[in-house]
Amino acid sequence: MTMQATHEEQDDAANALEQLAAEAETDEAAQARAEDAAEQAQAGEWEDAEAQEQQAQAIAKMAVQGVEVAASLIHPGHSLDRESRVQGEDVMMPIARDFSGEIPEWLRPYMHYLSAGLWIGGVMVGAYRARRAEDAEKAKEREAEEEAGQAQGAAHGV
């Protein structure tokens, strides 16, 4: 039995992958900026605490946006309200402060694993959504067939 995705599902999956690719490019740009800033300051130290805080805020905001995109892939139309975004940024700030500047030395050898995991996760979420949409379509078809059968039976006096 082969399962073929509809054009809409393929478009959704392609859009999701494009979104993940755009986020990866954004992450790479943020990483490049962080590395540039780290080169200007000594390793792990910032000369400008305000710049470090601004970068941490940007990282926290980006993390919240990533979570929102992932949630919308799982449940189309799902989005965070302003209060939830602010709460998420507050929760992410301590972690963002830890990771503002340069990537910690212990994490660098694992970055390719993290990137691969994000890509795999995106593909799996796309497949899950396609399956869920297919199941919903089949359920609608069954309901339509049942209604048509009942209407036909009523027309024949059954």
Side-chain angles (χ1 to χ4, degrees), residues 37-106:
E39 288 175 9
Q40 293 175 0
Q42 293 180 357
E45 296 180 12
W46 282 69
E47 292 178 11
D48 185 356
E50 186 177 329
Q52 183 180 12
E53 188 68 10
Q54 287 175 348
Q55 184 177 23
Q57 288 172 347
I59 290 170
K61 207 171 261 210
M62 188 170 47
V64 169
Q65 288 172 346
V67 169
E68 187 171 23
V69 167
S72 71
L73 290 174
I74 294 168
H75 185 263
H78 181 82
S79 64
L80 299 175
D81 59 15
R82 186 181 186 313
E83 183 180 323
S84 295
R85 281 190 195 103
V86 169
Q87 182 183 17
E89 289 172 19
D90 289 344
V91 168
M92 296 304 293
M93 275 303 288
I95 297 167
R97 283 186 187 108
D98 287 345
F99 288 99
S100 63
E102 65 180 62
I103 295 175
E105 196 61 41
W106 62 267

Side-chain angles (χ1 to χ4, degrees), residues 15-26:
N15 290 339
L17 289 175
E18 287 175 9
Q19 178 72 26
L20 288 172
E23 289 175 10
E25 289 176 12
T26 303

Side-chain angles (χ1 to χ4, degrees), residues 3 6 12 14 27-29 36 48 50 59 71 95 97 117 121 127 129 138 142 147-148 153:
M3 299 169 74
T6 65
D12 287 347
D27 290 345
E28 289 174 6
D36 289 344
D48 185 356
E50 186 177 329
I59 290 170
I95 297 167
R97 283 186 187 108
R129 287 185 63 208
K138 287 180 183 177
R142 279 192 300 268
E147 288 176 10

